[in-house]
């Protein structure tokens, strides 16, 4: 399988590495004369019936006379969840300007002027653990300038393990293309289809660089009729959607990657929502309407010649303390009784740190990273974190003739 970011721009022949967003010429969210034909979308899907998917959000980044299209979900009155590659430039990693976005909520057809709301974006927040090279951690939040009246969808957490199990049926939805190959088969009407969550072992066999801690994969057996395509990026994989399923509809995945051809006989890749939901909820709580200050658009980038040791009142020393709290919680006495502990935190954005850590406990050496995201207001800091820690026997690794025989263990979490 070739995992690539799906991208297309009508005015420019461009190939982006697979991230399921479509690029088309738009003016004020109205199709131009001679617009591309509208056909059934989500490959193999059908039009969403009236009253369904009330949480869906259409996302358009209006830049340079064209629009980069994605999908998303409302997760609070003023926050939309989408894919990380819908929030930053895939080539440079720079945040996309918040003022260029237009979000449509409350309408199954983004071109229906009689329904829904067209909203601006005040701030773009990409998940601090997002890896543009592999697609792991592909998530972002779009903070709305004006609250939406659309209801929020429930986000999965680590306690929802049963919803990620192999064989779980799910619903996918988005405003993407109906077929691959930059065919121009876009639609203004929301499309949806069913799919089935697959086991981590199946995903690893079929998806290069699959990250079981941060990703899910799904496919539509036995017909292999449906899947996601360009423009569906950031849309949801929803469990508990179908009749007869107990529980509230819950977003368990964010559409992230898939085959470049949009082939439906290969799995699609989704960001595992449970891995980023604590981060998302931290921001949602901090940015909730009525908490004392309106969200502000971020600066385009800090001056490269003057890196700051403080952003939002949060320092590297505070990040180091947070790392130790995270590792105490995760490893218990294996960390609290550590020797030779070192950690070093480097700011990676205005709202994130990446921290390297090493320590020893008993016969083992531990090493790895903790990625921290934060939101600050005054003295209050809301943290989110993800860690990836390896450990190996010191005796084997440093005193054996063949290191390849040494067992290296790994723990991920957050």
């Amino acid at each position: 399988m070739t995992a690539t970011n799906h991208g297309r721009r009508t005015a420019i022949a461009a190939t982006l590495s697979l991230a399921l967003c479509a690029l088309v010429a738009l003016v004020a969210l109205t199709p131009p004369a001679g617009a591309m034909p509208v056909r059934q979308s989500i490959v193999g899907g059908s039009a969403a019936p009236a009253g369904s998917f009330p949480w869906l959000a259409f996302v358009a980044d209006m830049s340079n006379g064209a629009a980069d299209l994605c999908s998303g979900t409302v997760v609070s009155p003023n926050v939309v969840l989408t894919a990380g590659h819908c929030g930053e430039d895939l080539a440079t990693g720079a945040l996309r300007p918040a003022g260029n976005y237009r979000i449509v909520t409350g309408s199954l057809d983004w071109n229906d002027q009689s329904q829904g709301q067209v909203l601006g974006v005040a701030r773009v927040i990409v998940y601090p653990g997002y890896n543009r090279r592999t697609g792991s951690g592909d998530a972002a939040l779009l903070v709305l300038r004006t609250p939406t009246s659309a209801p929020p969808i429930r986000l999965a957490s680590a306690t929802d393990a049963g919803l990620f199990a192999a064989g779980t049926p799910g619903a996918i939805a988005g405003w993407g293309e109906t077929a691959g190959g930059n065919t121009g088969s876009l639609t203004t009407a929301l499309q949806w289809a069913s799919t089935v969550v697959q086991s981590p072992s199946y995903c690893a066999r079929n998806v290069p660089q699959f990250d079981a801690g941060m990703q899910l994969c799904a496919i539509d057996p036995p017909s292999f009729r449906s899947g996601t395509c360009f423009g569906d990026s950031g849309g949801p994989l929803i469990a508990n959607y179908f009749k007869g399923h107990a529980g509230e509809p819950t977003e368990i995945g964010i559409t992230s990657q898939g085959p470049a051809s949009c082939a439906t006989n290969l799995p699609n890749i989704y960001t595992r929502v449970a891995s980023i939901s604590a981060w998302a909820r931290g921001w949602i709580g901090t940015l909730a309407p009525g908490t004392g200050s309106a969200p502000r658009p971020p600066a385009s980038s800090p001056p490269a010649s003057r890196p700051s040791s403080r952003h939002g009142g949060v320092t590297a020393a505070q990040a180091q303390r947070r790392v130790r709290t995270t590792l105490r919680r995760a490893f218990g006495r294996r960390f609290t009784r550590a020797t030779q502990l070192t950690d070093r935190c480097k700011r990676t954005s205005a709202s994130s740190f990446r921290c390297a850590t090493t320590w020893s406990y008993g016969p083992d050496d531990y090493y790895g990273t903790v990625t921290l995201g934060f939101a600050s207001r005054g003295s209050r800091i809301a943290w989110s974190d993800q860690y990836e820690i390896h450990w190996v026997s010191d005796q084997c690794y440093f005193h054996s003739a063949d290191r390849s025989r040494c067992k290296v263990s790994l723990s991920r979490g957050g």
Side-chain angles (χ1 to χ4, degrees), residues 62 95 217 310:
M62 313 288 290
L95 292 179
C217 86
R310 292 176 66 89

Side-chain angles (χ1 to χ4, degrees), residues 160-408:
D160 295 305
L163 300 182
F164 321 133
T168 299
I172 51 177
W175 283 273
E177 292 193 10
T178 64
N182 293 333
T183 59
S185 51
L186 288 167
T187 176
T188 65
L190 181 71
Q191 306 291 310
W192 82 285
S194 61
T195 191
V196 179
V197 176
Q198 301 300 306
S199 68
S201 59
Y202 172 91
C203 300
R205 288 196 304 271
N206 289 277
V207 178
Q209 297 180 309
F210 179 75
D211 183 347
M214 295 296 297
Q215 294 174 323
L216 302 168
C217 86
I219 199 168
D220 176 36
S223 64
F224 302 102
R225 177 175 179 267
S226 63
T228 58
C229 196
F230 307 100
D232 294 323
S233 277
L237 170 60
I238 304 172
N240 288 339
Y241 181 77
F242 301 101
K243 289 182 179 180
H245 287 198
E248 181 181 359
T250 299
E251 183 170 358
I252 61 172
I254 304 166
T255 301
S256 175
Q257 303 178 50
S261 61
C262 299
T264 56
N265 63 339
L266 294 170
N268 295 127
I269 309 164
Y270 304 84
T271 300
R272 184 185 288 263
V273 167
S275 297
I276 60 91
S277 58
W279 164 80
R281 292 189 184 102
W283 276 107
I284 290 167
T286 299
L287 298 168
T291 53
S293 66
R296 296 176 297 172
S300 57
S301 62
S305 60
R306 296 183 62 190
S308 172
S309 62
R310 292 176 66 89
H311 274 266
V314 179
T315 66
Q318 287 172 296
Q320 285 177 308
R321 289 195 290 271
R322 175 64 187 188
V323 165
R324 296 184 182 194
T325 298
T326 298
L327 296 176
R328 280 197 300 270
R329 183 182 67 236
F331 291 93
R333 63 186 295 171
R334 288 186 292 163
F335 183 78
T336 58
R337 299 189 179 184
T339 60
Q340 301 178 6
L341 170 64
T342 64
D343 49 31
R344 184 177 67 258
C345 293
K346 179 181 179 181
R347 186 180 297 280
T348 54
S349 77
S351 59
S352 64
F353 286 92
R354 183 174 177 84
C355 304
T357 183
T358 62
W359 76 89
S360 297
Y361 173 76
D364 296 328
D365 291 330
Y366 292 72
Y367 59 95
T369 58
V370 181
T371 302
L372 301 174
F374 66 86
S376 64
R377 176 170 291 141
S379 61
R380 177 173 176 249
I381 304 173
W383 293 98
S384 65
D385 46 36
Q386 292 289 329
Y387 62 84
E388 182 173 297
I389 302 296
H390 303 257
W391 64 95
V392 63
S393 165
D394 178 277
Q395 182 67 29
C396 180
Y397 194 78
F398 290 103
H399 302 285
S400 68
D402 184 4
R403 288 181 174 179
S404 65
R405 294 186 177 183
C406 300
K407 179 184 177 182
V408 179

